[in-house]
Amino acid sequence: MAGFSNRRLTRTIEVALTSLLVAVLLLLAGAAQSAFAQDVLPSWNDTSAKARIVDFVTKTVTEGGEGYVAPEARIAVFDNDGTLWSEQPYYFQLGFMLDRVKALAPLHPEWSEKEPFKSILSGNLKGIAKGGEKGIVELSMATHAGMTTDEFNKIVTEWFATAKHPKTGKLFSEMTFLPMRELLDYLRANGFKTYIVSGGGVEFMRPMTEKAYGIPPEQVIGSTITTEYALVDDVPVLNRLPKIDFIDDGPGKPVGINKFIGRRPIFVAGNSDGDYEMLRWGTSGAQHGFGLIVHHTDAEREYAYDRNSEFGKLDKTLDEAERRNWLVVDMKNDWKKIYKFDQ
């Protein structure tokens, strides 16, 4: 009887310990889930903007729910200038161009009387801005053709390592929006594949996008110039020619998405009228689509601009946002921090 009682006591203790262990594990799991929920988009204020994003993603990944989207169809596309990093007081690619033109000017005395070089050398940014993104791309073609893609990559990489923003004094590569980087991470954690679709030059962006955003070069779509295969001393190279191949802005964005991704996105983020067609196309498919517009409203921490800006003009897209159910993110009210270096 004593042996039976001991066995019974041992069994009772084992059951109790097992129950306690299960309770502890459940408690820890609940705490982990609670911590995860608290950590979702931590640089966003708890406003309706954050709630709408989380609600959309939750519905997208909930199997059996009305809004469920299979992982292979979870495509998210983001404009770059003004959406993922600052674009004021001018596009960063223009800053790169300004420095390149100044560096090359001694070799081209004729530039002092020839536009757009004359405006650059005289510091007339308004004259340059009138050409828009297309003019900037054309300028880059004129000043950066005649070299290989590897040579251009090296020049861009070195520029990002040293060039600083005129307002903050920070490296241009540090001027990325922390809340948007968190959004990229959040989407990827929920099975989305993230792409950049920008009017900027694709070979200007690719050297920095993986480190800055976690987006590899093959998931970056941008404006391009014609490249040509050649052999130089029996070494194969790709030469950059002074000819525009594709402008990835405005109506060109849906075209680029279709050409290079082959799927209609269900999440589209932009900040200007250059993203209008991409927002229209991405949110009108058979799958439920989400449109997000970054509205620059914080003059103190960043810049405040929209309808009359030379860079990143937001007019028609802002007017139609409510009617098309696009989320307008108010930087001043919806974001706790803008940059990682913010206190």
Short mmCIF file of all heavy atoms in Angstrom, two decimals, residues 275-337:
data_model
loop_
_atom_site.label_atom_id
_atom_site.label_comp_id
_atom_site.label_asym_id
_atom_site.label_seq_id
_atom_site.Cartn_x
_atom_site.Cartn_y
_atom_site.Cartn_z
N ASP A 275 2.39 59.82 -58.09
CA ASP A 275 1.98 58.49 -57.66
C ASP A 275 0.50 58.23 -57.92
O ASP A 275 -0.01 57.16 -57.57
CB ASP A 275 2.27 58.31 -56.16
CG ASP A 275 3.72 58.57 -55.82
OD1 ASP A 275 4.58 57.96 -56.47
OD2 ASP A 275 3.99 59.38 -54.91
N TYR A 276 -0.18 59.20 -58.51
CA TYR A 276 -1.65 59.11 -58.68
C TYR A 276 -2.05 57.86 -59.46
O TYR A 276 -2.91 57.07 -59.02
CB TYR A 276 -2.16 60.37 -59.38
CG TYR A 276 -3.64 60.33 -59.72
CD1 TYR A 276 -4.59 60.58 -58.74
CD2 TYR A 276 -4.07 60.02 -61.01
CE1 TYR A 276 -5.95 60.53 -59.04
CE2 TYR A 276 -5.41 59.98 -61.32
CZ TYR A 276 -6.36 60.23 -60.33
OH TYR A 276 -7.70 60.17 -60.64
N GLU A 277 -1.44 57.66 -60.62
CA GLU A 277 -1.83 56.52 -61.46
C GLU A 277 -1.50 55.18 -60.77
O GLU A 277 -2.25 54.21 -60.89
CB GLU A 277 -1.14 56.60 -62.82
CG GLU A 277 -1.67 57.70 -63.72
CD GLU A 277 -1.06 59.06 -63.46
OE1 GLU A 277 -0.21 59.17 -62.55
OE2 GLU A 277 -1.42 60.03 -64.16
N MET A 278 -0.40 55.14 -60.05
CA MET A 278 -0.04 53.92 -59.33
C MET A 278 -1.07 53.63 -58.23
O MET A 278 -1.47 52.48 -58.03
CB MET A 278 1.36 54.06 -58.74
CG MET A 278 1.85 52.85 -57.96
SD MET A 278 3.61 52.94 -57.54
CE MET A 278 3.60 54.22 -56.26
N LEU A 279 -1.51 54.67 -57.53
CA LEU A 279 -2.54 54.49 -56.50
C LEU A 279 -3.87 54.06 -57.11
O LEU A 279 -4.53 53.14 -56.59
CB LEU A 279 -2.72 55.81 -55.74
CG LEU A 279 -1.65 56.14 -54.70
CD1 LEU A 279 -1.62 57.64 -54.41
CD2 LEU A 279 -1.87 55.35 -53.42
N ARG A 280 -4.25 54.68 -58.21
CA ARG A 280 -5.51 54.31 -58.87
C ARG A 280 -5.48 52.85 -59.29
O ARG A 280 -6.44 52.10 -59.06
CB ARG A 280 -5.75 55.21 -60.10
CG ARG A 280 -6.18 56.62 -59.82
CD ARG A 280 -7.61 56.69 -59.24
NE ARG A 280 -8.58 55.93 -60.00
CZ ARG A 280 -9.25 56.41 -61.05
NH1 ARG A 280 -9.05 57.66 -61.46
NH2 ARG A 280 -10.14 55.67 -61.66
N TRP A 281 -4.40 52.46 -59.94
CA TRP A 281 -4.31 51.10 -60.49
C TRP A 281 -4.21 50.06 -59.37
O TRP A 281 -4.86 49.02 -59.42
CB TRP A 281 -3.11 51.01 -61.43
CG TRP A 281 -3.05 49.72 -62.21
CD1 TRP A 281 -3.94 49.29 -63.16
CD2 TRP A 281 -2.05 48.70 -62.12
NE1 TRP A 281 -3.54 48.07 -63.67
CE2 TRP A 281 -2.39 47.69 -63.04
CE3 TRP A 281 -0.90 48.56 -61.35
CZ2 TRP A 281 -1.63 46.55 -63.20
CZ3 TRP A 281 -0.14 47.42 -61.51
CH2 TRP A 281 -0.49 46.43 -62.43
N GLY A 282 -3.40 50.35 -58.37
CA GLY A 282 -3.17 49.37 -57.32
C GLY A 282 -4.36 49.15 -56.41
O GLY A 282 -4.47 48.09 -55.79
N THR A 283 -5.24 50.14 -56.31
CA THR A 283 -6.37 49.99 -55.39
C THR A 283 -7.68 49.69 -56.11
O THR A 283 -8.75 49.71 -55.49
CB THR A 283 -6.56 51.28 -54.55
OG1 THR A 283 -6.75 52.40 -55.42
CG2 THR A 283 -5.33 51.53 -53.68
N SER A 284 -7.61 49.37 -57.39
CA SER A 284 -8.84 49.11 -58.15
C SER A 284 -8.89 47.69 -58.69
O SER A 284 -9.71 47.38 -59.55
CB SER A 284 -8.96 50.10 -59.31
OG SER A 284 -7.87 49.93 -60.22
N GLY A 285 -8.03 46.81 -58.18
CA GLY A 285 -8.01 45.44 -58.65
C GLY A 285 -9.08 44.58 -57.99
O GLY A 285 -9.85 45.04 -57.14
N ALA A 286 -9.12 43.30 -58.38
CA ALA A 286 -10.09 42.37 -57.81
C ALA A 286 -9.84 42.15 -56.33
O ALA A 286 -10.78 41.99 -55.54
CB ALA A 286 -10.02 41.04 -58.57
N GLN A 287 -8.55 42.11 -55.94
CA GLN A 287 -8.21 42.00 -54.52
C GLN A 287 -8.43 43.36 -53.85
O GLN A 287 -8.32 44.40 -54.48
CB GLN A 287 -6.73 41.60 -54.36
CG GLN A 287 -6.38 40.26 -54.99
CD GLN A 287 -6.72 39.08 -54.10
OE1 GLN A 287 -7.48 39.23 -53.15
NE2 GLN A 287 -6.18 37.93 -54.40
N HIS A 288 -8.76 43.34 -52.58
CA HIS A 288 -8.92 44.61 -51.87
C HIS A 288 -7.57 45.30 -51.76
O HIS A 288 -6.58 44.70 -51.38
CB HIS A 288 -9.54 44.40 -50.49
CG HIS A 288 -8.68 43.68 -49.51
ND1 HIS A 288 -8.12 42.44 -49.76
CD2 HIS A 288 -8.27 44.03 -48.27
CE1 HIS A 288 -7.42 42.05 -48.72
NE2 HIS A 288 -7.48 42.99 -47.79
N GLY A 289 -7.51 46.56 -52.15
CA GLY A 289 -6.24 47.29 -52.17
C GLY A 289 -6.23 48.42 -51.16
O GLY A 289 -7.27 48.98 -50.80
N PHE A 290 -5.03 48.77 -50.72
CA PHE A 290 -4.86 49.81 -49.70
C PHE A 290 -3.95 50.89 -50.28
O PHE A 290 -2.84 50.61 -50.72
CB PHE A 290 -4.22 49.21 -48.44
CG PHE A 290 -4.21 50.12 -47.25
CD1 PHE A 290 -5.21 50.03 -46.29
CD2 PHE A 290 -3.21 51.07 -47.07
CE1 PHE A 290 -5.22 50.85 -45.17
CE2 PHE A 290 -3.20 51.90 -45.96
CZ PHE A 290 -4.21 51.79 -45.01
N GLY A 291 -4.42 52.14 -50.26
CA GLY A 291 -3.63 53.26 -50.73
C GLY A 291 -3.22 54.15 -49.58
O GLY A 291 -4.05 54.49 -48.72
N LEU A 292 -1.96 54.54 -49.54
CA LEU A 292 -1.43 55.37 -48.46
C LEU A 292 -0.70 56.57 -49.06
O LEU A 292 0.11 56.41 -49.98
CB LEU A 292 -0.49 54.55 -47.57
CG LEU A 292 0.14 55.23 -46.35
CD1 LEU A 292 0.42 54.18 -45.26
CD2 LEU A 292 1.44 55.96 -46.69
N ILE A 293 -0.99 57.75 -48.53
CA ILE A 293 -0.36 58.98 -48.99
C ILE A 293 0.35 59.63 -47.80
O ILE A 293 -0.27 59.91 -46.78
CB ILE A 293 -1.39 59.97 -49.56
CG1 ILE A 293 -2.12 59.35 -50.76
CG2 ILE A 293 -0.72 61.28 -49.97
CD1 ILE A 293 -3.37 60.11 -51.17
N VAL A 294 1.65 59.86 -47.93
CA VAL A 294 2.40 60.57 -46.91
C VAL A 294 2.23 62.07 -47.16
O VAL A 294 2.66 62.58 -48.20
CB VAL A 294 3.90 60.19 -46.95
CG1 VAL A 294 4.69 61.03 -45.94
CG2 VAL A 294 4.08 58.70 -46.66
N HIS A 295 1.60 62.75 -46.22
CA HIS A 295 1.36 64.19 -46.34
C HIS A 295 2.37 64.93 -45.46
O HIS A 295 2.39 64.75 -44.23
CB HIS A 295 -0.07 64.51 -45.91
CG HIS A 295 -0.49 65.91 -46.23
ND1 HIS A 295 -1.64 66.48 -45.73
CD2 HIS A 295 0.08 66.88 -47.02
CE1 HIS A 295 -1.76 67.72 -46.20
NE2 HIS A 295 -0.73 67.98 -46.97
N HIS A 296 3.18 65.75 -46.07
CA HIS A 296 4.24 66.46 -45.35
C HIS A 296 3.66 67.70 -44.67
O HIS A 296 3.45 68.73 -45.31
CB HIS A 296 5.36 66.83 -46.33
CG HIS A 296 6.07 65.63 -46.88
ND1 HIS A 296 7.28 65.20 -46.41
CD2 HIS A 296 5.70 64.76 -47.85
CE1 HIS A 296 7.65 64.11 -47.07
NE2 HIS A 296 6.70 63.83 -47.95
N THR A 297 3.45 67.58 -43.37
CA THR A 297 2.77 68.63 -42.61
C THR A 297 3.61 69.15 -41.45
O THR A 297 3.12 69.98 -40.67
CB THR A 297 1.45 68.08 -42.04
OG1 THR A 297 1.73 66.92 -41.24
CG2 THR A 297 0.47 67.71 -43.14
N ASP A 298 4.84 68.68 -41.32
CA ASP A 298 5.64 69.01 -40.14
C ASP A 298 6.83 69.89 -40.53
O ASP A 298 7.92 69.41 -40.85
CB ASP A 298 6.14 67.73 -39.47
CG ASP A 298 6.58 67.95 -38.03
OD1 ASP A 298 7.17 69.02 -37.75
OD2 ASP A 298 6.34 67.07 -37.19
N ALA A 299 6.62 71.21 -40.48
CA ALA A 299 7.66 72.15 -40.89
C ALA A 299 8.82 72.17 -39.90
O ALA A 299 9.95 72.51 -40.28
CB ALA A 299 7.08 73.55 -41.02
N GLU A 300 8.57 71.81 -38.66
CA GLU A 300 9.62 71.86 -37.65
C GLU A 300 10.55 70.65 -37.75
O GLU A 300 11.77 70.79 -37.79
CB GLU A 300 9.01 71.92 -36.25
CG GLU A 300 10.04 72.04 -35.14
CD GLU A 300 9.41 72.18 -33.77
OE1 GLU A 300 8.20 72.46 -33.69
OE2 GLU A 300 10.13 72.00 -32.77
N ARG A 301 9.99 69.46 -37.79
CA ARG A 301 10.82 68.25 -37.80
C ARG A 301 11.26 67.86 -39.21
O ARG A 301 12.28 67.18 -39.38
CB ARG A 301 10.07 67.09 -37.16
CG ARG A 301 9.79 67.27 -35.68
CD ARG A 301 9.19 66.01 -35.07
NE ARG A 301 7.91 65.67 -35.67
CZ ARG A 301 7.27 64.52 -35.43
NH1 ARG A 301 7.81 63.61 -34.63
NH2 ARG A 301 6.09 64.27 -36.00
N GLU A 302 10.49 68.27 -40.22
CA GLU A 302 10.86 67.95 -41.60
C GLU A 302 10.54 69.15 -42.49
O GLU A 302 11.19 70.18 -42.39
CB GLU A 302 10.15 66.68 -42.07
CG GLU A 302 10.85 66.00 -43.23
CD GLU A 302 10.03 65.94 -44.51
OE1 GLU A 302 8.90 66.47 -44.54
OE2 GLU A 302 10.53 65.36 -45.48
N TYR A 303 9.49 69.07 -43.30
CA TYR A 303 9.04 70.17 -44.14
C TYR A 303 7.52 70.10 -44.24
O TYR A 303 6.92 69.02 -44.09
CB TYR A 303 9.63 70.07 -45.56
CG TYR A 303 11.14 70.23 -45.62
CD1 TYR A 303 11.97 69.12 -45.49
CD2 TYR A 303 11.72 71.49 -45.81
CE1 TYR A 303 13.36 69.26 -45.54
CE2 TYR A 303 13.09 71.63 -45.87
CZ TYR A 303 13.91 70.52 -45.74
OH TYR A 303 15.28 70.66 -45.78
N ALA A 304 6.89 71.24 -44.52
CA ALA A 304 5.45 71.28 -44.74
C ALA A 304 5.20 71.79 -46.17
O ALA A 304 5.58 72.92 -46.49
CB ALA A 304 4.77 72.18 -43.72
N TYR A 305 4.58 70.97 -46.99
CA TYR A 305 4.34 71.36 -48.38
C TYR A 305 3.33 70.41 -48.99
O TYR A 305 3.13 69.28 -48.53
CB TYR A 305 5.64 71.32 -49.20
CG TYR A 305 6.30 69.95 -49.28
CD1 TYR A 305 6.08 69.11 -50.38
CD2 TYR A 305 7.14 69.49 -48.28
CE1 TYR A 305 6.68 67.85 -50.45
CE2 TYR A 305 7.74 68.24 -48.34
CZ TYR A 305 7.50 67.43 -49.43
OH TYR A 305 8.08 66.18 -49.50
N ASP A 306 2.68 70.84 -50.06
CA ASP A 306 1.81 69.96 -50.83
C ASP A 306 1.51 70.57 -52.21
O ASP A 306 2.26 70.36 -53.15
CB ASP A 306 0.51 69.60 -50.09
CG ASP A 306 -0.15 70.77 -49.37
OD1 ASP A 306 -0.21 71.88 -49.95
OD2 ASP A 306 -0.61 70.58 -48.24
N ARG A 307 0.46 71.39 -52.33
CA ARG A 307 -0.06 71.77 -53.64
C ARG A 307 0.87 72.65 -54.48
O ARG A 307 0.83 72.59 -55.71
CB ARG A 307 -1.40 72.48 -53.45
CG ARG A 307 -2.45 71.61 -52.76
CD ARG A 307 -3.78 72.31 -52.65
NE ARG A 307 -4.71 71.58 -51.80
CZ ARG A 307 -5.46 70.55 -52.22
NH1 ARG A 307 -5.37 70.15 -53.48
NH2 ARG A 307 -6.28 69.94 -51.39
N ASN A 308 1.68 73.48 -53.87
CA ASN A 308 2.48 74.43 -54.63
C ASN A 308 3.97 74.11 -54.62
O ASN A 308 4.78 74.96 -55.02
CB ASN A 308 2.26 75.84 -54.06
CG ASN A 308 0.81 76.29 -54.19
OD1 ASN A 308 0.20 76.13 -55.24
ND2 ASN A 308 0.25 76.83 -53.11
N SER A 309 4.33 72.93 -54.20
CA SER A 309 5.74 72.58 -54.10
C SER A 309 6.35 72.29 -55.46
O SER A 309 5.72 71.68 -56.33
CB SER A 309 5.91 71.37 -53.19
OG SER A 309 7.27 70.99 -53.11
N GLU A 310 7.59 72.74 -55.63
CA GLU A 310 8.33 72.42 -56.86
C GLU A 310 8.70 70.93 -56.89
O GLU A 310 8.81 70.33 -57.95
CB GLU A 310 9.61 73.26 -56.94
CG GLU A 310 9.37 74.77 -57.05
CD GLU A 310 8.94 75.19 -58.44
OE1 GLU A 310 8.81 74.31 -59.31
OE2 GLU A 310 8.73 76.39 -58.66
N PHE A 311 8.91 70.36 -55.70
CA PHE A 311 9.27 68.95 -55.59
C PHE A 311 8.20 68.23 -54.77
O PHE A 311 7.86 68.66 -53.67
CB PHE A 311 10.64 68.79 -54.92
CG PHE A 311 11.75 69.49 -55.64
CD1 PHE A 311 12.22 70.72 -55.20
CD2 PHE A 311 12.32 68.92 -56.77
CE1 PHE A 311 13.25 71.36 -55.86
CE2 PHE A 311 13.34 69.57 -57.45
CZ PHE A 311 13.81 70.80 -57.00
N GLY A 312 7.67 67.15 -55.30
CA GLY A 312 6.67 66.38 -54.58
C GLY A 312 5.32 67.06 -54.49
O GLY A 312 4.64 67.00 -53.45
N LYS A 313 4.88 67.69 -55.55
CA LYS A 313 3.59 68.37 -55.55
C LYS A 313 2.46 67.39 -55.27
O LYS A 313 2.32 66.36 -55.94
CB LYS A 313 3.35 69.06 -56.90
CG LYS A 313 2.03 69.80 -56.99
CD LYS A 313 1.87 70.46 -58.35
CE LYS A 313 0.54 71.20 -58.46
NZ LYS A 313 0.38 71.86 -59.78
N LEU A 314 1.63 67.72 -54.28
CA LEU A 314 0.49 66.88 -53.90
C LEU A 314 -0.78 67.71 -54.02
O LEU A 314 -1.08 68.53 -53.15
CB LEU A 314 0.68 66.37 -52.47
CG LEU A 314 -0.46 65.51 -51.90
CD1 LEU A 314 -0.60 64.21 -52.68
CD2 LEU A 314 -0.22 65.23 -50.42
N ASP A 315 -1.54 67.52 -55.08
CA ASP A 315 -2.71 68.34 -55.35
C ASP A 315 -3.91 67.45 -55.72
O ASP A 315 -4.77 67.19 -54.89
CB ASP A 315 -2.39 69.33 -56.47
CG ASP A 315 -3.49 70.35 -56.70
OD1 ASP A 315 -4.29 70.57 -55.77
OD2 ASP A 315 -3.55 70.94 -57.79
N LYS A 316 -3.92 66.97 -56.93
CA LYS A 316 -5.02 66.12 -57.40
C LYS A 316 -5.16 64.88 -56.52
O LYS A 316 -6.29 64.48 -56.17
CB LYS A 316 -4.77 65.72 -58.86
CG LYS A 316 -5.82 64.79 -59.44
CD LYS A 316 -5.48 64.43 -60.88
CE LYS A 316 -6.52 63.49 -61.47
NZ LYS A 316 -6.20 63.14 -62.88
N THR A 317 -4.05 64.28 -56.16
CA THR A 317 -4.10 63.05 -55.36
C THR A 317 -4.70 63.32 -53.99
O THR A 317 -5.47 62.50 -53.47
CB THR A 317 -2.67 62.49 -55.21
OG1 THR A 317 -2.11 62.29 -56.52
CG2 THR A 317 -2.67 61.17 -54.47
N LEU A 318 -4.39 64.47 -53.41
CA LEU A 318 -4.95 64.84 -52.11
C LEU A 318 -6.44 65.09 -52.22
O LEU A 318 -7.23 64.70 -51.35
CB LEU A 318 -4.23 66.07 -51.58
CG LEU A 318 -4.55 66.52 -50.16
CD1 LEU A 318 -4.20 65.43 -49.15
CD2 LEU A 318 -3.80 67.81 -49.83
N ASP A 319 -6.86 65.74 -53.30
CA ASP A 319 -8.28 66.04 -53.51
C ASP A 319 -9.12 64.77 -53.59
O ASP A 319 -10.26 64.74 -53.12
CB ASP A 319 -8.48 66.84 -54.80
CG ASP A 319 -8.04 68.29 -54.65
OD1 ASP A 319 -7.96 68.77 -53.50
OD2 ASP A 319 -7.77 68.94 -55.69
N GLU A 320 -8.57 63.73 -54.19
CA GLU A 320 -9.34 62.51 -54.42
C GLU A 320 -9.16 61.46 -53.34
O GLU A 320 -9.79 60.39 -53.40
CB GLU A 320 -8.97 61.92 -55.79
CG GLU A 320 -9.33 62.82 -56.95
CD GLU A 320 -9.16 62.14 -58.30
OE1 GLU A 320 -9.13 60.88 -58.33
OE2 GLU A 320 -9.07 62.85 -59.32
N ALA A 321 -8.32 61.73 -52.36
CA ALA A 321 -7.99 60.70 -51.35
C ALA A 321 -9.22 60.19 -50.60
O ALA A 321 -9.42 58.98 -50.48
CB ALA A 321 -6.96 61.26 -50.38
N GLU A 322 -10.04 61.09 -50.11
CA GLU A 322 -11.20 60.66 -49.33
C GLU A 322 -12.18 59.87 -50.17
O GLU A 322 -12.69 58.82 -49.76
CB GLU A 322 -11.89 61.88 -48.71
CG GLU A 322 -13.07 61.51 -47.82
CD GLU A 322 -13.69 62.71 -47.13
OE1 GLU A 322 -13.17 63.84 -47.33
OE2 GLU A 322 -14.67 62.53 -46.39
N ARG A 323 -12.44 60.36 -51.39
CA ARG A 323 -13.39 59.68 -52.27
C ARG A 323 -12.94 58.28 -52.64
O ARG A 323 -13.75 57.37 -52.79
CB ARG A 323 -13.60 60.52 -53.53
CG ARG A 323 -14.52 59.89 -54.57
CD ARG A 323 -15.01 60.93 -55.54
NE ARG A 323 -13.96 61.51 -56.34
CZ ARG A 323 -13.63 61.06 -57.57
NH1 ARG A 323 -14.28 60.02 -58.08
NH2 ARG A 323 -12.70 61.66 -58.25
N ARG A 324 -11.62 58.08 -52.74
CA ARG A 324 -11.09 56.78 -53.14
C ARG A 324 -10.63 55.94 -51.95
O ARG A 324 -10.02 54.89 -52.12
CB ARG A 324 -9.95 56.97 -54.14
CG ARG A 324 -10.38 57.75 -55.38
CD ARG A 324 -9.41 57.68 -56.52
NE ARG A 324 -9.88 58.47 -57.65
CZ ARG A 324 -10.82 58.08 -58.51
NH1 ARG A 324 -11.39 56.90 -58.36
NH2 ARG A 324 -11.19 58.87 -59.52
N ASN A 325 -10.91 56.44 -50.75
CA ASN A 325 -10.58 55.73 -49.52
C ASN A 325 -9.09 55.50 -49.34
O ASN A 325 -8.67 54.48 -48.78
CB ASN A 325 -11.33 54.38 -49.44
CG ASN A 325 -11.40 53.84 -48.03
OD1 ASN A 325 -11.49 54.60 -47.07
ND2 ASN A 325 -11.35 52.53 -47.90
N TRP A 326 -8.28 56.45 -49.81
CA TRP A 326 -6.84 56.37 -49.59
C TRP A 326 -6.52 57.00 -48.24
O TRP A 326 -7.08 58.04 -47.88
CB TRP A 326 -6.08 57.12 -50.68
CG TRP A 326 -6.24 56.53 -52.05
CD1 TRP A 326 -6.54 55.24 -52.36
CD2 TRP A 326 -6.10 57.22 -53.31
NE1 TRP A 326 -6.60 55.07 -53.74
CE2 TRP A 326 -6.33 56.28 -54.34
CE3 TRP A 326 -5.81 58.53 -53.66
CZ2 TRP A 326 -6.27 56.61 -55.69
CZ3 TRP A 326 -5.75 58.87 -55.01
CH2 TRP A 326 -5.97 57.92 -56.01
N LEU A 327 -5.67 56.38 -47.49
CA LEU A 327 -5.27 56.89 -46.19
C LEU A 327 -4.26 58.02 -46.36
O LEU A 327 -3.21 57.84 -46.97
CB LEU A 327 -4.65 55.77 -45.34
CG LEU A 327 -3.98 56.20 -44.03
CD1 LEU A 327 -5.01 56.78 -43.07
CD2 LEU A 327 -3.25 55.02 -43.40
N VAL A 328 -4.57 59.19 -45.81
CA VAL A 328 -3.64 60.32 -45.81
C VAL A 328 -2.95 60.34 -44.45
O VAL A 328 -3.59 60.60 -43.43
CB VAL A 328 -4.35 61.65 -46.09
CG1 VAL A 328 -3.34 62.80 -46.04
CG2 VAL A 328 -5.05 61.61 -47.45
N VAL A 329 -1.66 60.06 -44.45
CA VAL A 329 -0.88 60.05 -43.21
C VAL A 329 -0.36 61.46 -42.95
O VAL A 329 0.39 62.01 -43.75
CB VAL A 329 0.29 59.05 -43.31
CG1 VAL A 329 1.19 59.16 -42.08
CG2 VAL A 329 -0.23 57.63 -43.46
N ASP A 330 -0.79 62.03 -41.83
CA ASP A 330 -0.35 63.36 -41.41
C ASP A 330 0.93 63.20 -40.61
O ASP A 330 0.92 62.73 -39.47
CB ASP A 330 -1.46 63.99 -40.56
CG ASP A 330 -1.17 65.43 -40.16
OD1 ASP A 330 -0.02 65.72 -39.76
OD2 ASP A 330 -2.10 66.26 -40.24
N MET A 331 2.06 63.59 -41.20
CA MET A 331 3.35 63.36 -40.54
C MET A 331 3.42 63.99 -39.15
O MET A 331 3.98 63.39 -38.22
CB MET A 331 4.49 63.91 -41.41
CG MET A 331 4.72 63.14 -42.69
SD MET A 331 6.02 63.84 -43.73
CE MET A 331 7.46 63.55 -42.75
N LYS A 332 2.86 65.17 -39.00
CA LYS A 332 2.94 65.87 -37.72
C LYS A 332 2.15 65.17 -36.63
O LYS A 332 2.59 65.07 -35.48
CB LYS A 332 2.45 67.31 -37.89
CG LYS A 332 2.63 68.17 -36.65
CD LYS A 332 2.26 69.62 -36.94
CE LYS A 332 2.49 70.50 -35.73
NZ LYS A 332 2.18 71.93 -36.01
N ASN A 333 0.98 64.66 -36.99
CA ASN A 333 0.09 64.07 -35.99
C ASN A 333 0.21 62.55 -35.87
O ASN A 333 -0.05 62.00 -34.79
CB ASN A 333 -1.37 64.44 -36.31
CG ASN A 333 -1.62 65.92 -36.20
OD1 ASN A 333 -1.11 66.59 -35.30
ND2 ASN A 333 -2.41 66.45 -37.12
N ASP A 334 0.59 61.89 -36.94
CA ASP A 334 0.58 60.42 -36.94
C ASP A 334 1.92 59.78 -36.60
O ASP A 334 1.97 58.59 -36.30
CB ASP A 334 0.10 59.90 -38.30
CG ASP A 334 -1.37 60.23 -38.55
OD1 ASP A 334 -2.13 60.28 -37.57
OD2 ASP A 334 -1.76 60.44 -39.72
N TRP A 335 3.01 60.58 -36.65
CA TRP A 335 4.33 59.99 -36.40
C TRP A 335 4.95 60.55 -35.12
O TRP A 335 5.07 61.77 -34.96
CB TRP A 335 5.26 60.27 -37.57
CG TRP A 335 4.93 59.49 -38.81
CD1 TRP A 335 3.96 58.55 -38.95
CD2 TRP A 335 5.56 59.59 -40.09
NE1 TRP A 335 3.95 58.06 -40.25
CE2 TRP A 335 4.92 58.68 -40.96
CE3 TRP A 335 6.60 60.37 -40.58
CZ2 TRP A 335 5.31 58.52 -42.28
CZ3 TRP A 335 6.98 60.22 -41.91
CH2 TRP A 335 6.34 59.29 -42.75
N LYS A 336 5.40 59.64 -34.25
CA LYS A 336 6.13 60.05 -33.04
C LYS A 336 7.51 60.58 -33.40
O LYS A 336 7.98 61.57 -32.86
CB LYS A 336 6.28 58.87 -32.09
CG LYS A 336 5.01 58.36 -31.46
CD LYS A 336 5.31 57.16 -30.56
CE LYS A 336 4.04 56.57 -29.99
NZ LYS A 336 4.34 55.35 -29.19
N LYS A 337 8.17 59.86 -34.28
CA LYS A 337 9.49 60.24 -34.76
C LYS A 337 9.48 60.22 -36.27
O LYS A 337 8.72 59.47 -36.88
CB LYS A 337 10.56 59.26 -34.24
CG LYS A 337 10.71 59.24 -32.73
CD LYS A 337 11.71 58.19 -32.28
CE LYS A 337 13.12 58.51 -32.73
NZ LYS A 337 14.12 57.57 -32.18
#
